[in-house]
Amino acid sequence: MQIENFIDGKFTPPIDGNYLPNLNPANGELNSMIPDSSHDDVNSAVNAAKSAFSNWSKLTINERIDWLRQIADGLEQRKADIARLECEDTGKPISLAERVDAERSITNFSFFADHAKSIADLEFRMDDATNYVIRKPVGVVGLITPWNLPLYLLSWKIAPALVMGNTIIAKPSELTPSTANLLCEVLDSIDFPKGVINIVQGLGSTVGQAIVEHPEIRAISFTGGTETGKIVARTAAPMFKKLSLELGGKNATIILDDVDLASAAKGAARAAFTNSGQVCLCGSRILVADKIYHEFVDLLVEEVEAMKVGNPKHRDTDIGSVISIAHKDKIHSYIDLAKSEGGEILTGSEFTIPPPNANGAFVAPTLIANLNIDSRCAVEEIFGPVATIHRFTTDEEAIRMANITQYGLAGSIWTGDRARGVAVANQIDSGILWVNTWLHRDLRTPFGGVKNSGVGREGGDWSLNFFSELCNICVKDD
Ligand code: TXE
């Protein structure tokens, strides 16, 4: 199969005629060829988005909300295809792709349709005047997304950008192009206005960079690695573009001594190994109170060893492959480093997967104990199914250990005492904290990190504000 760009409502081959292979990491098979687009393709997408802007931005919010609902309905009809394509592009289990990726990609459109209905008019009365705050669209916006949750993260940006009246140039990861293409098929099938959403496929260093550099793209919303985020910020900041950066994480899961051990072990295993640890919110450093350390670790190892690693197409698979062979090698290099630094591998030895996945990019869920809290495996984002385990004696020590990394995205605290959990959560330098749960999301709440985990917040009103220019009109009384 050959995927094309989607520019001005048409499936369009890349101007230079170059294509890249898109491989299934679970078996090495070719999924499709995708455009290896250039600057010129981005320019042509920007021209289409600029022409579409005047009509799209003039629609009423209710008309745009209606389009969001039509997209959600169109995606709903393709739900099984979304899950299958995510499974084939990423190697993630089909059950996870159905439950998380397909479900949330649709919900993002229906959520922002509902949420935009509830935006309140802002007015500030003075003694002798009234201030009216209005929201205008920003213009043409650039959306750049990673491979771990492909359509889930793309739709999380597209839906609020659309509803606020912007037109869009989006670039999915070159490793996971298929569901963005499916979205274009849906747009085509519902006669969505041409040029409002343009998808340019290709590499980050060419297409991504061209989007960030383009003077007529006025806002960039980027989710990806912290190092790429630095490049994006360096390029966009001097052009005074609006910028939202959702970057990496190295999140702590803190197990306090008063916890229900069985449910905490289940929660910690899910937080560490969902999507093979390839979620920026994953809890990859597990901090355990000394008093319960051995009992908890035994239960955790049991939970992890019960996870079935294998063919992502099988319904009973818990852990599929990671995103690529190169990523598998990177993860293994961290495991080797841990061993050389005296880390004890509690579970996660080498294993074989039968054909057709024998050469897939599989890594067993791996738990490592006995590493220093500031060792590289404990502070760098491995972004794979690897978690390190550390002991602490007091809550203060756990907080200090949680806060030593460069990241500040998320974390979870597990305890029998909610007030104690909230008190600990308050002292962790992260944007998102859970007590006795993990990845429990209300889409109205702010989402984003502190320190090197990013700049800005997405979700609910924060997304709507990012994709708007807020203007104040002060009218003096007669
Ligand atoms: O991400 P990149 P990669 C972390 C994780 C992972 C590491 C690298 O640690 O191992 O990042 O992954 C586009 N200008 N996360 O290399 O490169 C790229 O094409 C503009 C965390 O896959 O950051 C893709 O569309 N765009 C993360 C997107 O940026 C550029 C999820 C993200 O890719 C670009 C993924 C450039 N110069 C990885 N270079 C999370 N926080 O969820 C690349 N891109």
Short mmCIF file of all heavy atoms in Angstrom, two decimals, residues 144-148 171-174 203-205 208-209 212 222-225 228 231-232 246-248 280 327 330 381 383, ligand 1:
data_model
loop_
_atom_site.label_atom_id
_atom_site.label_comp_id
_atom_site.label_asym_id
_atom_site.label_seq_id
_atom_site.Cartn_x
_atom_site.Cartn_y
_atom_site.Cartn_z
N ILE A 144 2.76 18.51 15.66
CA ILE A 144 3.77 17.45 15.43
C ILE A 144 3.64 16.42 16.55
O ILE A 144 3.68 16.77 17.73
CB ILE A 144 5.18 18.07 15.41
CG1 ILE A 144 5.25 19.12 14.29
CG2 ILE A 144 6.24 17.00 15.23
CD1 ILE A 144 6.55 19.89 14.23
N THR A 145 3.49 15.16 16.15
CA THR A 145 3.16 14.14 17.16
C THR A 145 4.08 12.90 17.05
O THR A 145 4.65 12.64 15.99
CB THR A 145 1.69 13.72 17.01
OG1 THR A 145 1.41 13.46 15.63
CG2 THR A 145 0.75 14.81 17.51
N PRO A 146 4.19 12.14 18.14
CA PRO A 146 5.09 10.99 18.18
C PRO A 146 4.39 9.67 17.82
O PRO A 146 3.22 9.65 17.45
CB PRO A 146 5.54 10.99 19.64
CG PRO A 146 4.34 11.45 20.39
CD PRO A 146 3.61 12.41 19.47
N TRP A 147 5.12 8.58 18.03
CA TRP A 147 4.67 7.27 17.58
C TRP A 147 4.00 6.44 18.66
O TRP A 147 3.46 5.37 18.37
CB TRP A 147 5.86 6.48 17.02
CG TRP A 147 7.12 6.56 17.87
CD1 TRP A 147 8.20 7.36 17.61
CD2 TRP A 147 7.42 5.87 19.08
NE1 TRP A 147 9.15 7.20 18.59
CE2 TRP A 147 8.71 6.29 19.51
CE3 TRP A 147 6.74 4.92 19.86
CZ2 TRP A 147 9.32 5.81 20.67
CZ3 TRP A 147 7.34 4.44 21.01
CH2 TRP A 147 8.61 4.88 21.41
N ASN A 148 4.07 6.85 19.90
CA ASN A 148 3.60 5.93 20.95
C ASN A 148 2.08 5.81 21.02
O ASN A 148 1.55 4.74 21.28
CB ASN A 148 4.20 6.31 22.31
CG ASN A 148 3.93 7.74 22.71
OD1 ASN A 148 3.62 8.58 21.88
ND2 ASN A 148 4.05 8.02 23.99
N LYS A 171 1.91 16.77 11.21
CA LYS A 171 2.89 15.74 10.81
C LYS A 171 2.89 14.63 11.84
O LYS A 171 3.36 14.81 12.97
CB LYS A 171 4.29 16.34 10.73
CG LYS A 171 5.24 15.36 10.04
CD LYS A 171 6.70 15.62 10.36
CE LYS A 171 7.19 14.81 11.52
NZ LYS A 171 7.18 13.36 11.32
N PRO A 172 2.37 13.45 11.48
CA PRO A 172 2.49 12.31 12.39
C PRO A 172 3.93 11.79 12.37
O PRO A 172 4.71 12.17 11.49
CB PRO A 172 1.52 11.29 11.81
CG PRO A 172 1.34 11.66 10.37
CD PRO A 172 1.70 13.11 10.22
N SER A 173 4.25 10.93 13.31
CA SER A 173 5.59 10.32 13.28
C SER A 173 5.74 9.49 12.01
O SER A 173 4.80 8.82 11.57
CB SER A 173 5.78 9.43 14.50
OG SER A 173 6.93 8.62 14.31
N GLU A 174 6.94 9.50 11.44
CA GLU A 174 7.23 8.70 10.25
C GLU A 174 7.11 7.20 10.54
O GLU A 174 7.00 6.39 9.62
CB GLU A 174 8.63 9.03 9.71
CG GLU A 174 9.78 8.87 10.70
CD GLU A 174 10.01 10.12 11.58
OE1 GLU A 174 9.05 10.87 11.84
OE2 GLU A 174 11.16 10.33 12.01
N LEU A 203 9.86 12.83 7.46
CA LEU A 203 10.81 12.82 8.57
C LEU A 203 10.72 14.10 9.40
O LEU A 203 10.37 15.16 8.89
CB LEU A 203 12.23 12.69 8.03
CG LEU A 203 12.52 11.40 7.25
CD1 LEU A 203 13.90 11.46 6.60
CD2 LEU A 203 12.43 10.18 8.19
N GLY A 204 11.13 13.97 10.67
CA GLY A 204 11.14 15.13 11.55
C GLY A 204 12.13 16.18 11.10
O GLY A 204 11.84 17.38 11.12
N SER A 205 13.30 15.72 10.68
CA SER A 205 14.35 16.68 10.34
C SER A 205 14.02 17.49 9.09
O SER A 205 14.57 18.58 8.90
CB SER A 205 15.68 15.94 10.16
OG SER A 205 15.47 14.91 9.22
N GLY A 208 9.13 18.09 9.80
CA GLY A 208 8.91 18.70 11.12
C GLY A 208 9.61 20.05 11.19
O GLY A 208 9.03 21.07 11.58
N GLN A 209 10.86 20.06 10.77
CA GLN A 209 11.66 21.29 10.81
C GLN A 209 11.03 22.37 9.92
O GLN A 209 10.93 23.53 10.31
CB GLN A 209 13.10 20.97 10.36
CG GLN A 209 14.10 22.09 10.54
CD GLN A 209 14.39 22.42 12.01
OE1 GLN A 209 14.21 21.59 12.91
NE2 GLN A 209 14.82 23.65 12.27
N VAL A 212 8.10 23.89 11.73
CA VAL A 212 8.48 24.76 12.85
C VAL A 212 9.05 26.09 12.31
O VAL A 212 8.81 27.15 12.89
CB VAL A 212 9.49 24.03 13.76
CG1 VAL A 212 9.94 24.94 14.90
CG2 VAL A 212 8.89 22.76 14.33
N PHE A 222 3.72 20.54 19.99
CA PHE A 222 4.64 19.42 19.75
C PHE A 222 4.58 18.44 20.92
O PHE A 222 4.65 18.85 22.08
CB PHE A 222 6.07 19.97 19.62
CG PHE A 222 7.14 18.90 19.61
CD1 PHE A 222 7.47 18.26 18.42
CD2 PHE A 222 7.79 18.52 20.77
CE1 PHE A 222 8.44 17.25 18.41
CE2 PHE A 222 8.76 17.52 20.77
CZ PHE A 222 9.08 16.88 19.57
N THR A 223 4.48 17.16 20.63
CA THR A 223 4.68 16.11 21.65
C THR A 223 5.77 15.19 21.14
O THR A 223 5.69 14.70 20.00
CB THR A 223 3.37 15.33 21.91
OG1 THR A 223 2.37 16.23 22.36
CG2 THR A 223 3.58 14.25 22.98
N GLY A 224 6.76 14.96 21.97
CA GLY A 224 7.87 14.10 21.56
C GLY A 224 8.97 14.12 22.59
O GLY A 224 8.75 14.49 23.75
N GLY A 225 10.16 13.76 22.17
CA GLY A 225 11.29 13.66 23.09
C GLY A 225 11.79 15.04 23.53
O GLY A 225 11.64 16.03 22.79
N THR A 228 14.33 16.66 21.07
CA THR A 228 13.68 17.27 19.90
C THR A 228 12.96 18.54 20.31
O THR A 228 12.97 19.54 19.57
CB THR A 228 12.67 16.29 19.26
OG1 THR A 228 13.23 14.99 19.25
CG2 THR A 228 12.31 16.69 17.85
N ILE A 231 15.13 21.50 20.10
CA ILE A 231 15.33 22.01 18.72
C ILE A 231 14.11 22.82 18.30
O ILE A 231 14.23 23.91 17.73
CB ILE A 231 15.55 20.84 17.73
CG1 ILE A 231 16.74 19.98 18.15
CG2 ILE A 231 15.70 21.35 16.29
CD1 ILE A 231 16.94 18.73 17.30
N VAL A 232 12.93 22.29 18.61
CA VAL A 232 11.69 22.99 18.23
C VAL A 232 11.65 24.36 18.92
O VAL A 232 11.37 25.38 18.29
CB VAL A 232 10.45 22.13 18.62
CG1 VAL A 232 9.15 22.92 18.46
CG2 VAL A 232 10.41 20.85 17.78
N GLU A 246 5.00 19.14 24.92
CA GLU A 246 4.75 18.01 25.84
C GLU A 246 5.90 17.04 25.62
O GLU A 246 5.96 16.38 24.58
CB GLU A 246 3.41 17.33 25.51
CG GLU A 246 2.19 18.21 25.68
CD GLU A 246 1.92 18.59 27.11
OE1 GLU A 246 2.43 17.92 28.03
OE2 GLU A 246 1.21 19.59 27.33
N LEU A 247 6.80 16.95 26.60
CA LEU A 247 8.05 16.20 26.36
C LEU A 247 8.14 14.96 27.25
O LEU A 247 7.13 14.41 27.66
CB LEU A 247 9.22 17.16 26.56
CG LEU A 247 9.11 18.48 25.77
CD1 LEU A 247 10.25 19.42 26.08
CD2 LEU A 247 9.00 18.22 24.27
N GLY A 248 9.33 14.54 27.53
CA GLY A 248 9.53 13.25 28.18
C GLY A 248 9.20 13.25 29.67
O GLY A 248 8.90 14.27 30.27
N CYS A 280 4.64 8.58 27.98
CA CYS A 280 5.43 9.55 28.75
C CYS A 280 5.04 9.58 30.23
O CYS A 280 5.80 10.04 31.07
CB CYS A 280 5.34 10.93 28.13
SG CYS A 280 3.65 11.45 27.85
N HIS A 327 15.04 0.88 18.59
CA HIS A 327 14.61 1.22 19.95
C HIS A 327 14.85 0.03 20.89
O HIS A 327 15.28 0.20 22.03
CB HIS A 327 13.14 1.62 19.93
CG HIS A 327 12.71 2.34 21.17
ND1 HIS A 327 13.40 3.40 21.70
CD2 HIS A 327 11.67 2.14 22.02
CE1 HIS A 327 12.81 3.82 22.81
NE2 HIS A 327 11.76 3.07 23.03
N LYS A 330 18.37 0.12 21.87
CA LYS A 330 18.62 1.19 22.86
C LYS A 330 18.19 0.71 24.26
O LYS A 330 18.91 0.90 25.25
CB LYS A 330 17.85 2.45 22.44
CG LYS A 330 17.93 3.57 23.45
CD LYS A 330 17.09 4.79 23.05
CE LYS A 330 16.64 5.54 24.29
NZ LYS A 330 15.72 6.64 24.02
N GLU A 381 15.21 8.81 30.51
CA GLU A 381 13.98 8.23 29.97
C GLU A 381 14.34 7.09 29.01
O GLU A 381 14.82 7.34 27.91
CB GLU A 381 13.17 9.31 29.24
CG GLU A 381 11.80 8.81 28.83
CD GLU A 381 11.00 9.81 28.01
OE1 GLU A 381 11.58 10.49 27.15
OE2 GLU A 381 9.78 9.89 28.22
N PHE A 383 12.05 4.77 28.01
CA PHE A 383 10.86 4.68 27.15
C PHE A 383 10.68 3.25 26.63
O PHE A 383 10.41 3.02 25.45
CB PHE A 383 10.97 5.67 25.99
CG PHE A 383 9.65 6.33 25.65
CD1 PHE A 383 8.98 7.11 26.59
CD2 PHE A 383 9.08 6.19 24.40
CE1 PHE A 383 7.76 7.72 26.29
CE2 PHE A 383 7.86 6.81 24.09
CZ PHE A 383 7.21 7.57 25.03
O1 TXE B 1 10.93 11.19 19.20
P1 TXE B 1 11.01 12.55 18.47
P2 TXE B 1 11.67 9.84 18.82
C1 TXE B 1 11.03 10.19 23.85
C2 TXE B 1 11.52 8.81 24.18
C3 TXE B 1 12.11 8.35 22.91
C4 TXE B 1 12.77 9.62 22.46
C5 TXE B 1 13.05 9.73 21.00
O2 TXE B 1 12.49 8.87 25.17
O3 TXE B 1 13.02 7.33 23.07
O4 TXE B 1 11.83 10.62 22.80
O5 TXE B 1 11.92 9.29 20.25
C6 TXE B 1 9.32 14.85 14.93
N1 TXE B 1 11.67 19.33 14.12
N2 TXE B 1 9.66 10.25 23.43
O6 TXE B 1 13.00 10.04 18.19
O7 TXE B 1 12.14 12.58 17.51
C7 TXE B 1 9.28 13.36 14.65
O8 TXE B 1 9.28 13.11 13.26
C8 TXE B 1 10.36 19.05 14.22
C9 TXE B 1 8.74 10.77 24.38
O9 TXE B 1 10.74 9.07 18.05
O10 TXE B 1 10.91 13.60 19.48
C10 TXE B 1 7.97 12.98 15.33
O11 TXE B 1 6.86 13.31 14.50
N3 TXE B 1 9.89 17.80 14.43
C11 TXE B 1 7.45 11.09 23.79
C12 TXE B 1 7.97 13.86 16.56
O12 TXE B 1 8.88 14.93 16.27
C13 TXE B 1 10.77 16.82 14.59
C14 TXE B 1 6.94 10.27 22.69
C15 TXE B 1 8.47 13.16 17.84
O13 TXE B 1 9.68 12.48 17.58
C16 TXE B 1 12.17 17.06 14.52
C17 TXE B 1 7.98 9.85 21.79
C18 TXE B 1 12.60 18.38 14.27
N4 TXE B 1 13.88 18.72 14.18
C19 TXE B 1 9.28 9.82 22.20
N5 TXE B 1 12.81 15.89 14.73
C20 TXE B 1 6.37 11.54 24.72
N6 TXE B 1 6.69 12.47 25.60
O14 TXE B 1 5.24 11.11 24.62
C21 TXE B 1 11.86 14.95 14.91
N7 TXE B 1 10.63 15.49 14.82
#
